[in-house]
Amino acid sequence: MEPAPGPQEKYQLITRNLQEVLGEDKLMAILKERELKIYWGTATTGKPHVAYFVPMSKIADFLKAGCEVTILFADLHAYLDNMKAPWELLELRTRYYEHVIKAMLESIGVPLEKLKFVRGTDYQLSKEYTLDVYRLSSVVTQHDAKKAGAEVVKQVEHPLLSGLLYPGLQALDEEYLKVDAQFGGVDQRKIFTFAEKYLPSLGYAKRVHLMNPMVPGLTGSKMSSSEEDSKIDLLDRKEDVKKKLKKAFCEPGNVENNGVLSFIKHVLFPLKSEFVVLREEKWGGNKTYTAYEALEKDFAEQVVHPGDLKNSVEVALNKLLDPIREKFNCPELKKLSSAAYPTPSKAKPGEKGTKNSEPEDVVPSRLDIRVGKVLSVEKHPDADSLYVEKIDVGEAEPRTVVSGLVHFVPEEQLQDRLVVLLCNLKPQKMRGVESQGMVLCASSVGEPRQVEPLDPPAGCCAGERVYVEGYEGGEPDEELKPKKKVFEKLQADFHISEDCVAQWKQRNFLTKLGTVSCKSLKGGSIS
């Protein structure tokens, strides 16, 4: 039996691979006296993906160091954050998170009996907690609340009051969970410093804060639930894992913003203390690394090829995902997954259609809607009412799009602007020019007719996914079949709200930066 680690060894385990620790002296003082009590919270919003293995790996470290660990399923936070989890889906998503997080922990060998699992609504609706929310709101400035949530709460043009409450609730969680420390990503830093500033004003102790770095996604940016290409879902099939890893950013010799290397560093190495690069004998055969720095050095010097690195990660990742896939391959959890994250379902046996028929559910996630940037615009050579535009939607080449906007929008107002483009309509020729998409616009109801292109939130990039609130998890159809009239059926419920926000059945069109809107056509339609 191995001897129990001492305070210094515990400190090293707790802090390894972290980007920052606030309260190092206090952390060491606690470890010299007793075991550390720590919590990690996750808002139950989009589907957890493989980047969640990063905090799971640290939780394994905390347990090795003897910590008492609480995992908080922050369901109320999910609702407060610009309603990322609609109220009617909140319970379902929280149950999904409970099952999937526990399956992840089991897949990396973490004993669940050593963990405490808590839901936010178990205590956040109590009389005492609610009173503390009011007490806190009487001393916190609007400026500090907004600043604290800037990196975590979805930033929109017209922010909701709920977003200002979010940081205060997270601060109070530290007291109500009776912990010494809170663990999270470095994007939580402003909330952590907010808690350190304001909890003492209520007579509560300042806690220690431990921060993980933000791990790049497969595209080189932050791995995000709302960006399909940036993440691998925990239930993705092996062929999907292969496809996404094949497209992942992993430039030869480039170790910056390399999501493949980051996953090895923050997940695979801490779990196994080694990583094996698999390759054919003619390229040197398999090589085992026992220190991440050696692997990174070899990759930087192009001793390790990106293809071999991706293949090796694919094998290791599938070993982690296999038990999760197996657990979710039962009818009960399949039903929970589809109910918590509505996605198109295949035609049922006996229904009209072939074995490979298209999904029968007509839901907004079937539409491939993206932010586009108009690179050029000119009049159609054979039609006075049509423009021919070149629009960047994040692909290798811009798309050619024909739009009937000549009588409504001057050329100079289209040039270089961001638009919202439906990308999976079947291409069709319009007076001899093939159009590869549709610019979505707001239209007035009465006469004279007015038309305004929809506006993505400021700061969006070409290619970003636009989705309908509550349907961010679904995969769009490869191409919408004209006979199915999927777009036409959904379009019947498109409209512009009184706040000029684009909606489907009162649910907002969103990007990761906020709502899609128009300039002035309240109550209008969308086409």
Side-chain angles (χ1 to χ4, degrees), residues 59-203:
I59 287 168
D61 281 346
F62 298 153
L63 289 175
K64 287 175 192 171
C67 299
E68 296 177 23
V69 182
T70 297
I71 291 180
L72 171 67
F73 296 109
D75 47 358
L76 195 55
H77 284 80
Y79 182 70
L80 290 175
D81 188 2
N82 211 47
M83 293 184 291
K84 279 185 182 174
W87 193 260
E88 63 272 17
L89 294 178
L90 204 58
E91 165 67 19
L92 292 167
R93 290 194 177 177
T94 303
R95 282 170 49 205
Y96 179 87
Y97 263 69
E98 288 178 353
H99 283 289
V100 85
I101 294 294
K102 289 177 181 179
M104 290 181 78
L105 290 164
E106 287 173 328
S107 84
I108 62 173
V110 173
L112 297 186
E113 64 272 12
K114 290 189 176 182
L115 295 163
K116 182 180 179 184
F117 296 93
V118 179
R119 289 190 185 195
T121 47
D122 288 345
Y123 64 90
Q124 289 167 346
L125 302 177
S126 69
K127 178 181 175 182
E128 295 77 15
Y129 189 93
T130 304
L131 181 57
D132 269 346
V133 172
Y134 286 129
R135 288 175 64 206
L136 196 58
S137 66
S138 71
V139 295
V140 173
T141 65
Q142 180 188 5
H143 170 271
D144 282 2
K146 186 176 181 182
K147 180 183 175 185
E151 301 294 327
V152 177
V153 178
K154 181 175 283 188
Q155 300 301 296
V156 294
E157 189 176 353
H158 302 290
L160 300 173
L161 179 60
S162 58
L164 297 177
L165 294 175
Y166 189 111
L169 268 66
Q170 188 167 333
L172 287 172
D173 289 341
E174 296 180 346
E175 174 63 25
Y176 279 78
L177 292 172
K178 302 301 178 188
V179 294
D180 306 306
Q182 183 180 172
F183 164 62
V186 75
D187 59 338
Q188 305 266 342
R189 192 182 196 283
K190 290 177 181 176
I191 291 183
F192 291 166
T193 55
F194 171 93
E196 292 186 9
K197 177 179 178 179
Y198 282 106
L199 279 189
S201 68
L202 300 187

Side-chain angles (χ1 to χ4, degrees), residues 404-475:
L405 296 174
V406 170
H407 300 311
F408 303 103
V409 185
E411 281 184 50
E412 59 271 18
Q413 287 186 19
L414 277 178
Q415 181 67 45
D416 296 324
R417 81 176 283 163
L418 293 179
V419 294
V420 175
L421 195 74
L422 179 60
C423 295
N424 60 341
L425 288 173
K426 184 177 181 180
Q428 60 175 322
K429 287 199 172 182
M430 298 179 70
R431 301 292 291 270
V433 178
E434 185 176 79
S435 182
Q436 300 167 322
M438 177 192 290
V439 177
L440 295 182
C441 298
S443 301
S444 61
V445 177
E447 295 294 335
R449 187 177 178 225
Q450 295 175 276
V451 175
E452 296 172 358
L454 294 183
D455 292 314
C460 283
C461 297
E464 282 186 34
R465 178 96 184 267
V466 177
Y467 54 90
V468 171
E469 179 185 337
Y471 291 87
E472 56 267 43
E475 285 279 358

Side-chain angles (χ1 to χ4, degrees), residues 493-495 497 501-509 526:
D493 292 303
F494 286 1
H495 75 285
S497 73
V501 173
Q503 295 184 329
W504 175 79
K505 293 187 175 180
Q506 283 73 52
R507 293 173 181 258
N508 294 341
F509 281 53
I526 298 174

